[in-house]
Amino acid sequence: MRLAYSPTSTRAEVEITLVDERIDSLERLTDISIAFEVMRVFYVENSDVAGHYALVERTVDKPFIKDYDSIPGNSPRDWINEFDLTNWGLIGAYAGGERAGTALIAHDTDGVTMLEGRKDLAVLWDLRVDPKKRRIGIGSALFLAAEEWAAAKGCIQLKIETQNVNVPACRFYRMQRCRLGGIARSAYPAFPDEIQLLWYKDLHRLR
């Protein structure tokens, strides 16, 4: 699949090539850093309407670096050993002939609680873009490809997990018209100050 994207910035038009890749190349995900600096966080306030939440953005007192790959058990190498990846999809994005990002999608896999025991749900397990190639449409192209991949599997929803410390990701999923469908304030015992945010995107219109 090839997509041509014209950014709103002054950069020249960039051709983004998306490739369905072999799942056994999963370890290559770590070639692209997923670390980011936390400067702002979202405080989650329950709404008067059931199932609705308000995200209130605030500046942190002391910025810090968050690197998901460095968390024990959370590296792509760990997923290879923990899960049966037969029903997973891996999409690579290339810009200017160089690898620029990846999307990993989980579907119909025993032991993956995020899938809620549903065969009509897929989880965008991992989405990363080379820090030097951000803001030129790669993330949006990968998200759309993940939607299409999931819809082709018969899924009616795509689910994404983020945390309240990942403000850029939350903004991005809002831009993709995802809805915040659930939160968990005690999901991460090792990080008691972080709140799990679960986003959903309906896919029935893509089928």
Side-chain angles (χ1 to χ4, degrees):
M1 179 189 306
R2 289 181 178 271
L3 299 175
Y5 176 80
S6 298
T8 56
S9 69
T10 56
R11 298 186 186 186
E13 181 176 284
V14 176
E15 182 179 278
I16 301 170
T17 303
L18 302 180
V19 179
D20 289 325
E21 299 190 322
R22 293 172 56 91
I23 200 68
D24 57 12
S25 64
L26 188 60
E27 289 190 15
R28 292 189 59 194
L29 266 65
T30 56
D31 293 343
I32 299 175
S33 174
I34 203 169
F36 61 96
E37 184 176 15
V38 178
M39 302 176 65
R40 304 180 69 82
V41 300
F42 278 126
Y43 285 79
V44 183
E45 297 180 355
N46 293 341
S47 169
D48 293 336
V49 180
H52 287 252
Y53 310 93
L55 299 182
V56 180
E57 189 174 336
R58 298 179 183 173
T59 303
V60 299
D61 294 332
K62 186 177 181 180
F64 61 95
I65 299 299
K66 184 74 176 184
D67 183 0
Y68 294 112
D69 286 344
S70 67
I71 300 173
N74 200 60
S75 168
R77 296 182 179 89
D78 299 312
W79 305 333
I80 294 173
N81 298 323
E82 185 175 358
F83 302 115
D84 177 1
L85 306 180
T86 302
N87 295 329
W88 293 39
L90 180 62
I91 302 169
Y94 295 80
E98 297 180 347
R99 189 180 183 85
T102 57
L104 178 65
I105 313 104
H107 175 243
D108 190 17
T109 304
D110 291 339
V112 179
T113 56
M114 283 281 289
L115 287 169
E116 304 173 17
R118 296 169 50 185
K119 295 184 182 297
D120 64 353
L121 176 69
V123 172
L124 182 54
W125 194 265
D126 187 271
L127 177 67
R128 60 182 72 199
V129 176
D130 187 327
K132 298 179 180 179
K133 296 180 174 63
R134 291 175 182 170
R135 299 182 180 85
I136 60 172
I138 293 170
S140 296
L142 283 168
F143 188 88
L144 177 59
E147 288 186 82
E148 294 176 345
W149 186 95
K153 298 293 184 181
C155 296
I156 62 172
Q157 281 186 323
L158 184 66
K159 180 179 179 181
I160 311 100
E161 175 188 14
T162 59
Q163 294 75 38
N164 66 317
V165 297
N166 198 343
V167 171
C170 293
R171 289 174 176 165
F172 173 77
Y173 293 123
R174 275 179 164 174
M175 289 179 60
Q176 308 308 314
R177 299 185 177 181
C178 300
R179 63 176 177 83
L180 181 57
I183 69 166
R185 299 183 185 275
S186 303
Y188 312 111
F191 305 97
D193 294 331
E194 295 188 13
I195 301 173
Q196 181 190 61
L197 307 178
L198 299 174
W199 302 84
Y200 292 83
K201 178 68 180 288
D202 292 335
L203 303 178
H204 58 276
R205 294 182 180 177
L206 300 176
R207 295 182 61 187

